[in-house]
Amino acid sequence: MIAQLDAIHQDAQAAIEDACDEAALEEFRIRFLGKKGALTQAASGMRDVSKEDKPAVGQKLNEVRQALTRFVEARSAQLLALKDAEAAKGIDVTLPGRRPQQAAFHPLTQVMHRGISALRQMGFTLAAGPEVETEFHCFDALNTPEDHPARNEKDTFYFADGHLLRTHTSSVQVRTMETTKPPVRIIAPGSAYRRDEIDSTHLSVFSQMEGLYVAEDVSLGDLKGTLERLFRAIFGPKTPVRFRPHFFPFTEPSFEIDIKLQPKGQDPRWIEIAGCGMVDPNVFRQICESRGDDVYDPDKVTGFAFGLGLERLAMIMWGIPDIRLLIENDQRFLRQFASA
Amino acid sequence: MNTSLNWLQDHIDLSDYSTDALSDLLTFAGIEVEGIQERGAGVDHVVVGQIKSSDSHPGADRLSVCQVDDGSGSLRQIVCGAKNYKVNDKVPVALPGAVLPGDFKIKEGKLRGVVSNGMMCSGRELQLTDDHEGLLILKTDEATGTPIGELFESDTLLELEITPNRPDCLSHLGIARELAALAKRPLKGVPHYGASSVTQQPAKTEEITLEASESCPFYTARRITGVKVGPSPDWLKGKLEAIGLRPINNIVDITNYVLFEMGQPLHAFDVAKLDGGICVRLANDGETFQALDGNEYALQTDDLVIADQSKAVAIGGVMGGEDSGVTEGTTDVLLESAYFTPSHIRRTSRRLDLSSDSSYRFERGIDPAQTIGASELASKLILELAGGKAEDVLLVAGEVPASPSPVMLDHGRAQRLLGVDLSEDEMGEILTGLGLESQGAGAWKVPSFRGDLERHVDLVEEIARVYGIDKIPAREVAFFAEPSKEDARYDAHHQLRQRLVDLGYDDCLTIKLISDAQLADDLCALRLGKQNQAVPLKKPLSQDHTTLRPSVLPGLLDVAERNICQGATSLKFFEIGTVFSKHEKSPKVLESQQLGIVLSGDMTNASWHGETAQADICDLIGLCEALFGGGKQAVTMRRLEQESLLVAAEVLLGKSVIGRLGQVDPARAREMDCQGPLYVAEIDLAKAIKPSLSA
């Protein structure tokens, strides 16, 4: 019996060398380890082994079974490795890869996000208001007299019931102050509407970002500091920023802000980028009236507000020559901003 | 406003300021310099020449060949296209080497084969006048060869943007006054336009009837007889031409001059064409008016007219009439100088869509104290330049509006608002420079021309402007702020954007106004449901934009179509934005944030590796599951029958419907030239995402 097992072991050792593919290896397995295989048949001779020899023969049987199983495993691993190597043959890692589809944030989303991030770092929080507004929130509360040029059907979209499409995001200032006590520090990005024919520099629907900070003793110095930081966060830490006195109904004093940039292939120049100013006391008075209290009494609080056009910002930032590119959503245009 | 530097220098010495320095001085005080034109300056090699002969060009009918004396001793041959000269006329001659405005270099050359050694110039070619009809004929005794610069003063034209709160700056005197304050120097011999030597006489009703005193609180008229209407002298023409006005005749030119000198609009009527005295009244119902711009205007009963006994002769403060103006034959004029109420003029001007230099000033508010002074300046000039005799008295009706009330300045409060440590004296100096007078105890008397200074903050603005905002230290402060609901919503939406972009979907922004055709899209009806309606504009600007969009999908499908035209094969677009609707029973417009997705074509990039995967509806379903099903509730689909969609489903989050998706009717996709199936989804973000503040 022992000799028979040794013989099987030796046969197997020789046979495994010939098992050079998976079918041959399977044949080998059946021949030696299968139900009718040599080892199984030899094992059936166990019952004829004398009781005292049984432990030794049993041990031998196990050894041989283990050895044969190892042959199969080792050979199998070898064969798989060969197959792996075969599969890798002809792969040229220097060839171009297969890229995932990469889309892009719209340039306006990007500009807005940069502005929002910078202002949130300074402690501003987001606020929103409706785009279909009342005349009160869009004009009256913002110290814009009834016969102001903006307040007519030539410049503003009205609805039959007297509501209108907000002409600026400044209406969110009013909404916020109506519902929140000072101090307030908010930014309100969103759409605004004006009856402008669409051309290379105008859209009838455009995006703005509004900011408002009201507390005790907010000064012109605070306005300067905040807005300088904002524009340097967007355009780079060394960007020169300047303020020019201007006129808006809802702020006094009012300023326009220019930044100095070097458009591609041109000399550096000052570019007008935003309007701002100290909140006009009349605005606060309207808010007090609307709230029915005096927490926004202009003798107690001061504040600043600013507004910027995001299309213009994006156009300046990337040298976009025509505002209409921003609403056409041509993939070839959008994808240029994928890594911007 | 076009402003001539020479004209300004009549009132203030600015010789030490370069144009750039002057431009900065104005700009940083709130008067933006929008353009600068140098006139008649720096044109070297342009001299007085005399045309000695003129022969026709052998090769061109329109040209002639002139021999010109340029003072050099020998004649210069110049080919010329103009016809408006005679032999022996003197004209400006640009010699070879001259560089004319617009970087136009003059060289020796041949024109149609004939040598031409220079160019004879028109007024406009030298930027001396706007005239381009022919050569500028010089009426001069100057010898030939004299540089042209010696004949024409050089000038700088500043185009200034005057903000609506500063009507006092709509004149040369006004700008000079402002510059005096900014540059801290006096005006040259301040003209006493405010002081009056003429006797004012309340007008009899047959002379002036002031019916509409609310619209016109103060009206004056002066009669000047025996004038001789003719061309203005050169100095006056020069002044007007310098700011781009066309001289007309001495009387009209004088009224224009006074307007741009002092900011007071005047009007001169031809007395012979008036039927009796003046009546300042509101227009009659149905009254029409033939204005001097050649148009007829239909007036309403709140429009102000200046009328004689039978008809309107001017729309008060806006424009005179075609029939009552001064012409060559006029001998007696009636000179109007008045104060009209700003809001009234604004209303009429806007409604008639008719604006003039006069209405522009009246609607912003002129200096009421100048009305008489301006009338006097104009009368004086008329007597000087057109002769005649002025009546001894000035007829007046109504009252000069009161001067602005004094304004209080609280030094401490001003300091706090400015954020700068400026002493009371320094502030006072700035206000004094601007023409205000301290009345003690913080009270400041405001000059009549600064009606815009009404409140404390108005004075603070003046101080900031003149002190210079660049000198105010920037203060940086940051605060801790609790994120708002809107912060959380923005972050959630931004995260959604980020995931979609990472998955290859392009972030789109389309116009929120759509056309009727887009509104008719079944996808809009699908979003609106049975009880909601779209919100139309009252007066659309164009057929393309008539209605606020009730769905983002029509816009996104346009984006897909446009990109198909451009050859795109992978259409993966999304938009997050507001849509609008209205419940049939309520006027309130509902605004909500929707995510729209359009999907078709390649899901993988085309490459040499083999075929690209094509989008199918499982991609869109899987996307919605992945985007919104991350929480406790699962995203599931419920079959939906919809006309415009081949297959469709409602998207459910738990039990609530958060949106819809489906495959667009293939016939429609084919119309769009879409190569494969086209899928759309629209998700209501308020229902799909419950942003948590910790997100």
Side-chain angles (χ1 to χ4, degrees), chain B residues 278-323:
Chain B
I278 291 288
C279 180
V280 182
R281 60 165 169 86
L282 295 176
N284 299 321
D285 201 15
E287 190 165 2
T288 59
F289 181 70
Q290 192 73 35
L292 54 75
D293 64 356
N295 296 325
E296 190 179 85
Y297 293 92
L299 304 178
Q300 291 183 358
T301 51
D302 59 351
D303 293 326
L304 183 76
V305 295
I306 311 301
D308 60 14
Q309 297 310 301
S310 54
K311 64 194 179 294
V313 291
I315 304 174
V318 181
M319 195 167 278
E322 206 170 42
D323 304 328

Side-chain angles (χ1 to χ4, degrees), chain A residues 101 191 195 222 252 280, chain B residues 455 458 475 512 539 572:
Chain A
Q101 288 187 319
S191 291
R195 286 181 62 102
D222 295 321
E252 174 125 354
D280 195 290
Chain B
R455 305 168 300 164
D458 298 328
R475 194 166 71 166
K512 290 178 187 173
K539 269 194 198 165
K572 296 168 78 179

